[in-house]
Amino acid sequence: MSDWWYRNIVEPGKLPLLLALLSFVFAFLVTRVITRMIRAGRGPFGNVKTGDLHIHHVVPGIVLTVIGGFGAVAAGRHSFASLVSAVIFGLGAGLVLDEFALILHLDDVYWSEAGRKSVEIVVLTAALVALVLGGFLPFGVNELTPEERHNRALVVMNTALNFFFALVALGKGKPRVALIGTVVPFVALFGAVRLARPTSPWAKLFYRNRPRARARAGLRAFRHDRRWDGPRRRFQDLIGGRPDPDPGPGPSDGGPDSLSGGPDSRSGGTDSRSGGPDSRSGGTEERRPPEDG
């Protein structure tokens, strides 16, 4: 274990990456606990405001990410400053990606259905960094033997091929498979050879004149979503909290055929019983009271 730790973590300089990953996960989990307590009205925590301005935690996250990133660049590879910068960067990245959906939509969708994207991107990021730490990209190891250098060249070629398959999988509408496939062999190949998602760029380009392929892709996507959407949502709710239910449009929202404000409504329309050209009061055929005598 100690030999693996020195050879795969200490010697290639991955200790800052490990500290960044741990602080990243720590910042995300602590932030989710605090926000869930604020949402439930428990504990001493509350939203940070300056007057009427609500300051989201992505703001200090950006500041910490910038400080940690520039500090890591300026510090030496094996210095103590690089370790501190890695921790600062991981904390900031955890705060930023926890509100990834807010940055994507430019709206406060933290507790909405769209806010699930933040949890998903955090899980994918942590998984990719953990795979790199586990040795799936063993670059940077010094003092390799000739046999190890030959194997390293094979690893580089394999990684480049997997990256190509990852691009194909991404074009087929499978971003999760594409991301994992950049570091794990054969995962991207699995996503590249299977049918594309029906709304993906690949399907729009190559399934345009293939109705059977479009039908098979739609059926496979339906079965896949029906099988995995439930477990994925439960996992996201477990670590990130359940989103608020979507209220949906109410009956009093005022559509074009509603009873108030529409062209066919009972008040204010051209055929209404008050104020229209054929109305009984104020129209051209208005009845006049009989005159005396």
Side-chain angles (χ1 to χ4, degrees):
M1 182 64 184
S2 60
D3 182 68
W4 180 91
W5 171 265
Y6 179 80
R7 185 172 181 80
N8 293 278
I9 301 297
V10 178
E11 185 180 5
K14 291 182 180 180
L15 183 58
L17 183 61
L18 176 62
L19 294 177
L21 174 62
L22 294 178
S23 58
F24 171 79
V25 175
F26 174 78
F28 170 75
L29 293 178
V30 171
T31 302
R32 282 286 166 169
V33 171
I34 293 176
T35 53
R36 293 172 77 168
M37 294 177 64
I38 295 174
R39 183 192 190 189
R42 301 175 182 175
F45 305 103
N47 293 325
V48 179
K49 293 185 177 180
T50 302
D52 296 333
L53 179 62
H54 176 203
I55 301 178
H56 293 269
H57 52 268
V58 67
V59 177
I62 293 175
V63 175
L64 291 175
T65 304
V66 171
I67 294 175
F70 280 104
V73 172
R77 188 175 183 181
H78 297 279
S79 64
F80 178 75
S82 65
L83 304 181
V84 175
S85 299
V87 173
I88 295 175
F89 178 83
L91 294 174
L95 295 175
V96 171
L97 292 188
D98 184 55
E99 292 202 303
F100 172 80
L102 182 147
I103 302 173
L104 180 64
H105 294 276
L106 295 179
D107 193 12
D108 190 0
V109 294
Y110 192 84
W111 291 119
S112 68
E113 192 68 24
R116 292 180 181 273
K117 293 184 178 65
S118 298
V119 181
E120 186 171 353
I121 199 68
V122 166
V123 173
L124 286 175
T125 302
L128 288 174
V129 177
L131 289 173
V132 172
L133 285 172
F136 280 93
L137 287 179
F139 299 113
V141 179
N142 298 325
E143 299 179 359
L144 294 173
T145 64
E147 182 180 357
E148 289 175 328
R149 290 176 183 174
H150 178 69
N151 293 333
R152 185 180 181 184
L154 291 178
V155 169
V156 172
M157 294 175 59
N158 183 51
T159 303
L161 187 61
N162 284 332
F163 184 75
F164 170 76
F165 289 141
L167 290 179
V168 176
L170 183 63
K172 288 190 172 184
K174 305 171 184 179
R176 304 180 192 92
V177 176
L179 286 175
I180 300 299
T182 56
V183 294
V184 181
F186 303 113
V187 173
L189 176 62
F190 179 78
V193 298
R194 292 176 64 86
L195 285 172
R197 301 280 296 185
T199 57
S200 64
W202 185 282
K204 294 178 181 179
L205 181 62
F206 295 104
Y207 297 170
R208 183 184 307 172
N209 300 322
R210 299 171 58 189
R212 293 184 60 183
R214 290 200 308 269
R216 289 175 56 202
L219 180 61
R220 180 168 294 179
F222 170 76
R223 291 175 176 175
H224 177 273
D225 295 341
R226 185 178 60 181
R227 178 184 303 173
W228 295 108
D229 272 358
R232 183 171 66 246
R233 287 173 178 271
R234 287 191 292 269
F235 176 72
Q236 292 174 351
D237 294 344
L238 176 64
I239 63 175
R242 180 173 297 179
D244 294 329
D246 187 7
S252 60
D253 289 345
D257 296 331
S258 62
L259 297 178
S260 61
D264 297 333
S265 63
R266 295 185 179 181
S267 61
T270 56
D271 296 334
S272 64
R273 295 186 179 183
S274 60
D278 297 332
S279 63
R280 295 185 179 182
S281 61
T284 57
E285 297 180 0
E286 179 182 0
R287 293 183 180 181
R288 297 180 181 179
E291 298 179 359
D292 295 336

